[in-house]
Amino acid sequence: MYELIFWKYSEGFYLNHHEVYEALIEEQEVEGLEPLPVGVILNRISSLFSKWEKVDDNSWKNNEGKGAFQVITTAQSVRIDCYGTEGKAMDILVNVLEEFKCPLYDPQVPERYDDMNE
């Protein structure tokens, strides 16, 4: 599994990314994060992956190739667990969240890909 997670800082906030990640994984609310339009985000993902089989409300499977992913949301975050998902599909997911000003935090690296990075 490869995990992608996204959140948006409130203006004036910039926190320790790994601590934010750990709190979000525990489904804790984090002061300094914006609420996200998770329904809109899920609809956008659904439209972009319309050729994939929708296994349930938050999971998609590629029947014409490799990969599946599950979207787990809180009011402040979107986490996507990718199972054998190819890079091109993961790039689409990252781009969707960037449309909502939510840069990727990659806990495997760990690094957050946003404008604040040097």
Side-chain angles (χ1 to χ4, degrees):
M1 180 191 68
Y2 202 90
E3 188 178 32
L4 310 171
I5 189 163
F6 307 85
W7 65 81
K8 181 179 181 179
Y9 286 120
S10 300
E11 195 168 326
F13 280 87
Y14 202 71
L15 308 171
N16 178 298
H17 305 315
H18 195 72
E19 289 174 10
V20 171
Y21 163 74
E22 288 180 339
L24 292 172
I25 291 300
E26 297 294 322
E27 297 187 2
Q28 298 171 11
E29 192 166 310
V30 179
E31 186 179 341
L33 300 190
E34 293 283 318
L36 301 179
V38 290
V40 177
I41 291 168
L42 283 168
N43 286 341
R44 182 83 176 112
I45 291 169
S46 200
S47 70
L48 288 170
F49 287 88
S50 60
K51 290 190 167 107
W52 289 40
E53 178 186 342
K54 195 165 181 187
V55 181
D56 60 33
D57 285 347
N58 298 314
S59 304
W60 287 261
K61 181 172 87 176
N62 185 357
N63 285 332
E64 296 174 16
K66 294 191 325 188
F69 63 88
Q70 180 180 24
V71 181
I72 299 114
T73 60
T74 70
Q76 297 178 312
S77 68
V78 174
R79 186 177 101 213
I80 305 173
D81 293 343
C82 299
Y83 304 92
T85 310
E86 294 181 332
K88 186 176 169 190
M90 287 200 276
D91 288 345
I92 292 169
L93 293 165
V94 169
N95 291 338
V96 167
L97 274 296
E98 284 188 353
E99 290 172 23
F100 294 92
K101 308 282 188 260
C102 296
L104 167 66
Y105 176 74
D106 183 338
Q108 287 85 195
V109 179
E111 190 168 340
R112 182 169 157 96
Y113 298 91
D114 64 11
D115 296 338
M116 303 295 270
N117 281 348
E118 303 304 315

